[in-house]
Amino acid sequence: MRDWWREFSGLVLPVACAGCGRPRTELCPVCGAALNGAPARRVLPSPRPAGLPAVHAAAPYENAVRAVLLAHKERGALGLAGPLGRALAAAVRAGTGQAGAVGPLLLVPVPSARSATAARGHDPVFRIARAAADELRSTGGRVRVLPVLRQLRVVADQSGLGAHRRRANLAGALGVAAGSERLLAHGRVVLVDDLLTTGSTLAEAARAVAEALGSGGRPSGRTVCAAAVVSASPSAFEINRN
């Protein structure tokens, strides 16, 4: 019901660009170009957490891109899932090549805490992942969204934590839902999230997937684990510039 009201209100109430505030548009061309105007690139946090797969991102987390992500996540601007999904799809393509080349792509979104999802009234990463899957299918890709990751315990708020403390906070916090192993084994797993900062969350998600697949490490063969995000910290882009 809450999602329905937000989508309806977006049709009948005045809107402004989530990136710059320009009236009468939810995302203006200039802010849209900041999100989707450049090729997705490999990004690398420093220090790189153990087990982090190769990560590609569409845009640095700054200015209009930051504002758009926050509007979708925290203010319920659900119409932004489309352009955010296209950005995530570009990052998936950059990290995997043609979507249907060798088996289907399995987009596995990083889960939000239940309390955060309840407070927001939606799961932003799952919503963006579905939009990305639609975009990838529109160009012939075989894609599924598998929301199989679960939080096994409560973790502290990550805001303000450095890389080392984030890794400790997240260690062992994620797992794969029982019975989902066979789904993960029939395609190429791509972990997806909206934002990369230290990489600790994606590294923990990769560990959980690898453990579920019984590989004792990283997935191999048709289940090679990559990661894609809409945005990453500017420093992660700078490190990878050369």
Side-chain angles (χ1 to χ4, degrees):
M1 180 63 72
R2 187 181 299 180
D3 283 2
W4 173 86
W5 169 246
R6 282 174 173 165
E7 291 175 356
F8 176 75
S9 64
L11 296 174
V12 299
L13 299 177
V15 296
C17 174
C20 66
R22 182 178 299 180
R24 299 189 181 88
T25 178
E26 194 163 34
L27 186 64
C28 75
V30 173
C31 294
L35 183 63
N36 281 299
R41 289 173 45 194
R42 174 85 180 267
V43 291
L44 186 65
S46 180
R48 178 179 180 172
L52 181 69
V55 187
H56 284 76
Y61 186 64
E62 57 187 0
N63 305 324
V65 173
R66 180 179 183 274
V68 170
L69 274 169
L70 289 175
H72 176 260
K73 176 184 285 187
E74 305 296 352
R75 300 202 300 276
L78 304 184
L80 295 172
L84 290 169
R86 287 192 290 277
L88 181 60
V92 172
R93 287 193 187 101
T96 62
Q98 294 299 315
V102 183
L105 290 182
L106 308 176
L107 305 188
V108 177
V110 171
S112 300
R114 291 182 181 179
S115 58
T117 300
R120 293 168 180 149
H122 74 125
D123 185 331
V125 177
F126 179 49
R127 185 179 292 273
I128 294 171
R130 290 191 300 176
D134 289 342
E135 173 69 17
L136 292 164
R137 292 187 195 107
S138 73
T139 56
R142 292 183 291 157
V143 187
R144 294 183 64 186
V145 179
L146 296 181
V148 298
L149 284 171
R150 300 287 186 270
Q151 287 204 335
L152 303 181
R153 60 173 176 79
V154 176
V155 298
D157 186 351
Q158 297 273 81
S159 301
L161 297 183
H164 177 73
R165 293 181 64 190
R166 286 194 179 207
R167 289 196 297 272
N169 185 42
L170 289 165
L174 297 179
V176 170
S180 301
E181 298 86 352
R182 61 181 181 82
L183 299 176
L184 294 170
H186 290 86
R188 293 180 291 158
V189 174
V190 182
L191 301 170
V192 295
D193 205 348
D194 55 353
L195 174 65
L196 175 139
T197 50
T198 67
S200 299
T201 302
L202 286 171
E204 169 61 14
R207 181 208 59 78
V209 169
E211 185 173 294
L213 290 167
S215 65
R218 70 183 58 170
S220 60
R222 292 185 66 196
T223 55
V224 170
C225 190
V229 295
V230 174
S231 185
S233 62
S235 61
F237 275 84
E238 290 299 324
I239 287 172
N240 192 48
R241 185 175 298 279
N242 296 321

